[in-house]
């Protein structure tokens, strides 16, 4: 399973400026992790903040109202502020790679992160991130392989580009250790291995007929064997817009409903759990 990143990349004309909104689906998008190569990775210690940052980036990638443009890069923040930084609700606007990550950091609540008159740039980001308490890693071991990717971490090539990691790579715990961050999954009961995810489909615990219906994914979303990304392996990745049929069955974990669904991917049906926060 490929590790994904989310970023603001290029306008519809292949230049640094373009019309507001994503007319190609590739201006602000999810793609496979790659090495720029990166100069550093910035990681916030609180996993819940990293998760909010990743979700904000995913919401931006799924919202075709958000396009790429350096000339009007701050319009994303203006509209995001008006809707409480819920990037799924933002109207027509533009951003660039660094202004997107600045907006996502504000949405995450990272140590009271703010957005200035012109937002971050890839040149100013390092100082801003350090001031907010992000841990900075410059060791190339952790910058050149997707295996060390941490969900919600920010990769930066100074003067060039920045992206957000959307998946934990196979060796992400080593990256957290390098940054001096304790992995919260270590507190999971010893009866569940944190290195080997469960690959047996779990039964749903609850049913609510009001949840029954057909949904679409708002991001590239893992369909899992059970209702927890840290315990259950992925069955398949559902691309943005994948249709999922739910008959009302679900399991709730930490106030999040995981719907038991049947998803159709590449003409085949798969049954598993999908996080309802990424379904509409």
């Amino acid at each position: 399973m490929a590790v994904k990143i989310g970023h603001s990349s290029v306008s519809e004309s292949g230049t640094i400026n373009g019309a507001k909104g994503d007319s190609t689906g590739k201006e602000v998008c999810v793609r496979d992790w790659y090495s720029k190569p990166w100069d550093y990775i910035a990681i916030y210690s609180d996993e819940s903040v990293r998760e909010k940052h990743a979700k904000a980036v995913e919401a931006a990638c799924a919202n075709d109202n958000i396009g790429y443009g350096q000339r009007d890069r701050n319009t994303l923040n203006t509209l995001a502020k008006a809707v409480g930084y819920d990037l799924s609700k933002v109207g027509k606007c533009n951003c660039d790679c660094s202004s997107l990550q600045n907006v996502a950091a504000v949405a995450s609540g990272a140590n009271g992160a703010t957005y200035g008159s012109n937002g971050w740039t890839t040149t100013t980001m390092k100082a801003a991130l350090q001031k907010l308490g992000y841990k900075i890693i410059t060791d190339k071991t952790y910058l050149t392989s997707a295996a060390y990717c941490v969900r919600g971490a920010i990769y930066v090539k100074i003067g060039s580009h920045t992206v957000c990691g959307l998946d934990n790579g196979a060796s992400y715990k080593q990256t957290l250790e390098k940054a001096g961050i304790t992995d919260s999954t270590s507190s999971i009961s010893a009866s569940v291995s944190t290195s080997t995810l469960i690959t047996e489909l779990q039964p749903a615990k609850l049913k609510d007929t009001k949840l029954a219906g057909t949904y679409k994914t708002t991001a590239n979303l893992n369909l899992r064997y059970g209702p927890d990304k840290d315990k259950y392996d992925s069955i398949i990745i559902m691309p943005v817009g994948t249709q999922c049929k739910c008959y009302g069955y679900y399991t709730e974990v930490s106030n999040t409903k995981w719907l038991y669904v049947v998803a159709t991917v590449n003409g085949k049906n798969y049954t598993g759990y999908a996080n309802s926060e990424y379904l509409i």
Side-chain angles (χ1 to χ4, degrees), residues 46-56 151-152 229 278:
D46 188 330
E47 182 183 8
S48 66
V49 170
R50 297 197 305 268
E51 181 64 19
K52 289 176 183 177
H53 189 112
K55 285 182 177 180
R151 178 170 167 81
K229 68 182 180 65
Y278 300 97

Side-chain angles (χ1 to χ4, degrees), residues 139-272:
D139 188 327
K140 292 189 182 299
T141 300
Y142 304 91
L143 302 174
T144 55
S145 171
Y148 295 99
C149 185
V150 174
R151 178 170 167 81
I154 303 170
Y155 290 83
V156 181
K157 176 70 173 177
I158 298 172
S160 178
H161 197 43
T162 180
V163 306
C164 173
L166 298 181
D167 291 307
N168 286 323
S171 302
Y172 82 97
K173 291 184 181 180
Q174 293 182 38
T175 310
L176 294 178
E177 183 178 356
K178 176 68 175 178
I181 298 171
T182 301
D183 180 19
S184 64
T185 60
S186 62
S187 63
I188 294 176
S189 171
S191 63
V192 178
S193 171
T194 58
S195 60
T196 304
L197 299 178
I198 296 172
T199 57
E200 181 178 348
L201 189 62
Q202 304 298 300
K205 295 183 178 180
L206 301 168
K207 183 177 182 180
D208 182 348
T209 56
K210 293 180 181 178
L211 294 175
T214 300
Y215 296 79
K216 286 186 178 181
T217 60
T218 61
N220 291 333
L221 182 63
N222 285 292
L223 183 69
R224 296 188 179 277
Y225 288 96
D228 191 316
K229 68 182 180 65
D230 294 319
K231 293 182 180 180
Y232 299 99
D233 203 357
S234 173
I235 299 169
I236 194 169
I237 294 178
M238 302 180 289
V240 175
T242 297
Q243 288 196 339
C244 303
K245 181 70 175 180
C246 178
Y247 295 92
Y249 294 98
Y250 72 100
T251 297
E252 187 165 332
V253 176
S254 300
N255 296 319
T256 297
K257 288 183 174 64
W258 288 74
L259 303 189
Y260 189 79
V261 301
V262 178
T264 303
V265 180
N266 295 327
K268 295 183 179 180
N269 291 332
Y270 298 87
T271 301

Side-chain angles (χ1 to χ4, degrees), residues 75-154:
T75 55
L76 169 60
N77 181 66
T78 300
L79 296 190
K81 185 177 181 180
V83 294
Y85 287 92
D86 181 347
L87 301 193
S88 69
K89 297 179 179 179
V90 169
K92 290 283 187 180
C93 63
N94 276 336
C95 64
D96 66 3
C97 63
S98 49
S99 67
L100 171 62
Q101 300 306 327
N102 194 167
V103 169
V106 175
S108 77
N111 197 25
T114 59
Y115 192 101
S117 61
N118 189 37
W120 294 344
T121 69
T122 56
T123 302
T124 64
M125 283 178 70
K126 190 173 184 178
L129 290 164
Q130 287 176 316
K131 187 175 181 179
L132 290 172
Y134 282 78
K135 308 296 183 180
I136 306 295
I137 295 177
T138 57
D139 188 327
K140 292 189 182 299
T141 300
Y142 304 91
L143 302 174
T144 55
S145 171
Y148 295 99
C149 185
V150 174
R151 178 170 167 81
I154 303 170

Side-chain angles (χ1 to χ4, degrees), residues 29-42:
C29 65
V30 174
R31 61 164 291 181
D32 290 350
W33 190 99
Y34 67 98
S35 175
K36 186 69 179 173
W38 308 110
D39 289 320
Y40 64 89
I41 179 175

